[in-house]
Amino acid sequence: MRKYKISEIVVKRLPLYLRCLTYLDKMGVPTISSHELGHKLGIKPSQIRKDLAYFGEFGKQGIGYDVSYLRGEIRHILGLTEHIKVAVVGAGKLGQALSDYILLKREDFDIAAVFDRDPAKIGMEVGGVKVSPIENLKEIIQEKEIQMAIVTVPANAAQKVVNLLVDAGVRGILSFAPIAVTVPEGVRFYNVDFTMELQSLAYYLTGQGKNEY
Amino acid sequence: MRKYKISEIVVKRLPLYLRCLTYLDKMGVPTISSHELGHKLGIKPSQIRKDLAYFGEFGKQGIGYDVSYLRGEIRHILGLTEHIKVAVVGAGKLGQALSDYILLKREDFDIAAVFDRDPAKIGMEVGGVKVSPIENLKEIIQEKEIQMAIVTVPANAAQKVVNLLVDAGVRGILSFAPIAVTVPEGVRFYNVDFTMELQSLAYYLTGQGKNEY
DNA sequence: TAGGTCATGAGAAATGTTTCACAAATCGTG
DNA sequence: CACGATTTGTGAAACATTTCTCATGACCTA
C-alpha cells in the first residue's frame, strides 16, 4: 500500500503508463498484463507491478489489469481528476505550439493565460486565450488561481520570469529555457532542454557509447 | 580513467555541466570548483567529480577546474568537435521553433534537412533550409550522411516516420510525439513528451508529494 | 470439481547510484 | 620555506532502484 514517500523516478513513470493505457482504452482493449504493457514500453513487467504497488492493488491475478480502471486510478493518483489551469509565459513559436497543442487535445490541462513582453504579441490569440502583458502576470495568476506554468522565454529572461511566477504563487514550473534556474523549496521545477537531449544523443554516435549494448 | 561502460545517467548529466560551463566561459570565469558548480546546478560536488572521473582527470587539486578547458573536454567526450547534421521531420510550429532555434544558435548542430508531408509546406524555408517532401527522406538523408533526427509529427505518424529514418540510416532520434515508439537495437531513441512532464508536475500539486521535502 | 495455465503482489537478492571521507596536490602568506 | 586553507580523485559505505522468485488467487476446460 501507500508508502510514506514515493520517489520521483516512480512518479515520472506513471504518465508513461497513463499514455499507453489511454491509447489502449481508445482501441477498446479491455485488460492488459504487466508483461504486455512492459513489452510495449520497453520496461520489465516487475517494475510496472512494483511501481503500481506503491499506490494500491489494481490488478487481478491470472487476468492482469483492467485498462479503463487502471487508467482512471493513475489519473486520480496524479491529481488529473479535473482540468488543471496552466499559464504559459512566452508567446513565441514554441509557446504557441505548446499552447495550441494543449487546446487541441483538451485533456487534463487548460491554458488559462498566456503572457509575453512584446507589445506586438499582446492581444493575439494563443491556446484559445488572448496574450496578456507580463506586467499583469501576478494579478491574473492570482485571480484565476493558476498553480502551474510553462516557461518558453529566452535564457536571459528565464530566472526573472520564474521569480515572478513563484511570487505569484505558482507551485509547479516546466521550463524550456536552456539555462539553470533556481527555485525556493516547495516549488517543483522541471527543465526540458532539447539541445541537452541532442548532445547526449551525440555521445552515442561517437562510438564510445557502443559498449552499452 | 575510461571505464568499459558509462551509464546513461552519467552521459545525460554531461550536457548539464556543459551548458553551465559555456555560460561561465562567456562570463569570463577562469576556474570553478566542483562545489561552486554543484551549487549552481543543485548537484552534490562529489557527484560532479565522480562523473568527470569516468573520463579522465580534468581538475587541479586546490584550484578546481579550468572552465574553458573542461568545456572543451566535455564537448570532445560528447563528440561535439564539429557540427552534427540533423534532420527535422515535421515542419509544424514545433518543428519550426526547434529548427529556427538551432539555426539561430549555430552551436553543435546544423539543420541539414527539414521534411513534411503537407504539400503546402514544401519549399517553405525552415531552420535555414527548404522543406522537402517526406518521399525524398531516404535519398536526402543518405546523400547528406545525416545521422541524427528530430521528429515533430503527430502521434499517429511517429512510428512510420521513425521506421523511415532508421531505414535511411539514422542512429539517434529525438521524438516529441506523445506516443511509445520502438526502434531496433543500435538506434538510440529519446522521447520528450511535455504533457508527461506536466502530468508528473501535477502529482506534486496534489499534496501527496509534499512528503518529498 | 479438479488440474493446468496465467499473472499479481511482495519479500529477497542483485545491481546501480550517490555520498562520504581522506590522502595528495596546489596556492597564498608570513 | 612551512603552514593553513582549498580542492581534486578515489575507494568504501550508504542508499536507491531494479530484477528475481514464488505463494497465492483467478480463469478455463473437461
Side-chain angles (χ1 to χ4, degrees):
Chain A
M1 283 301 291
R2 184 70 166 72
K3 300 295 185 309
Y4 180 66
K5 177 183 153 177
I6 310 290
S7 84
E8 178 164 330
I9 203 163
V10 172
V11 173
K12 284 229 165 188
R13 272 194 298 263
L14 295 182
L16 187 66
Y17 303 155
L18 183 57
R19 190 175 72 179
C20 197
L21 290 166
T22 299
Y23 174 78
L24 291 167
D25 199 24
K26 206 179 295 177
M27 293 291 120
V29 177
T31 61
I32 191 163
S33 65
S34 58
H35 184 86
E36 285 175 281
L37 187 57
H39 182 76
K40 284 181 186 297
L41 298 173
I43 283 181
K44 288 268 191 305
S46 52
Q47 178 159 80
I48 294 173
R49 294 204 302 274
K50 174 123 346 227
D51 283 351
L52 296 176
Y54 283 113
F55 302 96
E57 305 191 2
F58 306 112
K60 283 210 181 70
Q61 289 171 335
I63 308 293
Y65 300 91
D66 181 290
V67 169
S68 178
Y69 171 70
L70 182 57
R71 173 170 182 269
E73 289 296 302
I74 293 181
R75 283 172 53 84
H76 182 77
I77 292 165
L78 291 172
L80 303 175
T81 46
E82 53 190 66
H83 279 211
I84 294 176
K85 292 181 200 165
V86 179
V88 176
V89 189
K93 271 202 175 127
L94 182 58
Q96 289 176 34
L98 301 178
S99 303
D100 289 344
Y101 180 81
I102 290 174
L103 175 67
L104 178 77
K105 271 297 189 74
R106 280 194 185 78
E107 245 180 30
D108 304 329
F109 302 99
D110 278 334
I111 303 292
V114 177
F115 301 96
D116 204 289
R117 191 175 53 178
D118 180 3
K121 294 222 176 71
I122 310 300
M124 260 180 70
E125 186 155 322
V126 172
V129 300
K130 294 226 186 305
V131 177
S132 304
I134 204 155
E135 288 75 22
N136 301 350
L137 187 145
K138 187 172 183 177
E139 179 196 352
I140 293 174
I141 282 188
Q142 292 188 337
E143 184 197 304
K144 299 197 177 179
E145 295 181 322
I146 299 169
Q147 296 193 86
M148 200 182 280
I150 300 175
V151 175
T152 63
V153 303
N156 59 35
Q159 181 69 64
K160 216 180 301 176
V161 162
V162 166
N163 293 348
L164 284 175
L165 288 166
V166 170
D167 180 52
V170 165
R171 293 197 296 129
I173 296 173
L174 178 58
S175 169
F176 288 80
I179 193 165
V181 166
T182 59
V183 294
E185 282 222 345
V187 177
R188 186 120 328 217
F189 180 87
Y190 290 162
N191 187 195
V192 172
D193 185 341
F194 84 101
T195 60
M196 278 174 43
E197 303 283 336
L198 289 181
Q199 286 169 345
S200 50
L201 267 184
Y203 175 79
Y204 296 100
L205 299 185
T206 61
Q208 307 252 347
K210 267 191 181 161
N211 303 327
E212 293 245 15
Y213 293 109
Chain B
M1 283 301 293
R2 185 69 166 72
K3 300 295 185 309
Y4 180 68
K5 177 183 153 177
I6 310 288
S7 83
E8 178 164 329
I9 203 162
V10 172
V11 173
K12 284 230 165 188
R13 273 194 299 262
L14 296 181
L16 187 66
Y17 303 155
L18 183 56
R19 191 175 71 178
C20 196
L21 290 166
T22 299
Y23 174 78
L24 292 167
D25 200 23
K26 207 179 294 175
M27 293 290 120
V29 177
T31 61
I32 192 164
S33 66
S34 59
H35 184 85
E36 286 176 279
L37 187 57
H39 182 76
K40 284 182 187 296
L41 298 173
I43 283 182
K44 288 268 191 304
S46 53
Q47 178 159 78
I48 294 173
R49 294 203 301 277
K50 179 137 318 240
D51 283 351
L52 295 176
Y54 284 114
F55 302 96
E57 305 191 3
F58 307 112
K60 281 210 182 70
Q61 288 171 336
I63 309 291
Y65 300 90
D66 181 290
V67 169
S68 178
Y69 171 70
L70 182 57
R71 171 169 185 271
E73 288 297 302
I74 293 181
R75 284 172 53 82
H76 182 77
I77 292 164
L78 291 172
L80 304 175
T81 46
E82 52 189 65
H83 280 210
I84 294 175
K85 291 182 201 166
V86 179
V88 176
V89 188
K93 272 204 174 126
L94 182 59
Q96 289 177 33
L98 301 178
S99 303
D100 289 345
Y101 180 82
I102 290 173
L103 175 66
L104 178 77
K105 271 298 190 73
R106 282 194 185 77
E107 243 180 33
D108 304 330
F109 303 98
D110 278 334
I111 303 293
V114 177
F115 300 96
D116 205 290
R117 189 176 55 179
D118 179 3
K121 294 224 176 69
I122 310 300
M124 260 180 70
E125 186 155 320
V126 171
V129 300
K130 294 226 185 307
V131 177
S132 304
I134 204 154
E135 288 75 22
N136 301 349
L137 188 144
K138 186 171 183 177
E139 179 196 352
I140 293 175
I141 282 188
Q142 292 188 335
E143 183 197 305
K144 299 198 176 179
E145 295 181 323
I146 298 170
Q147 295 194 85
M148 199 181 281
I150 300 174
V151 174
T152 63
V153 302
N156 58 36
Q159 182 70 64
K160 216 180 299 176
V161 162
V162 166
N163 292 349
L164 284 175
L165 288 166
V166 169
D167 181 52
V170 165
R171 293 196 296 128
I173 296 173
L174 178 59
S175 169
F176 288 80
I179 194 166
V181 166
T182 59
V183 294
E185 280 221 347
V187 177
R188 184 115 339 210
F189 179 85
Y190 290 162
N191 186 195
V192 171
D193 184 341
F194 83 102
T195 61
M196 278 174 44
E197 302 284 336
L198 289 181
Q199 287 169 344
S200 50
L201 266 184
Y203 175 79
Y204 296 100
L205 299 184
T206 61
Q208 306 249 349
K210 269 193 180 159
N211 304 328
E212 292 246 13
Y213 292 109

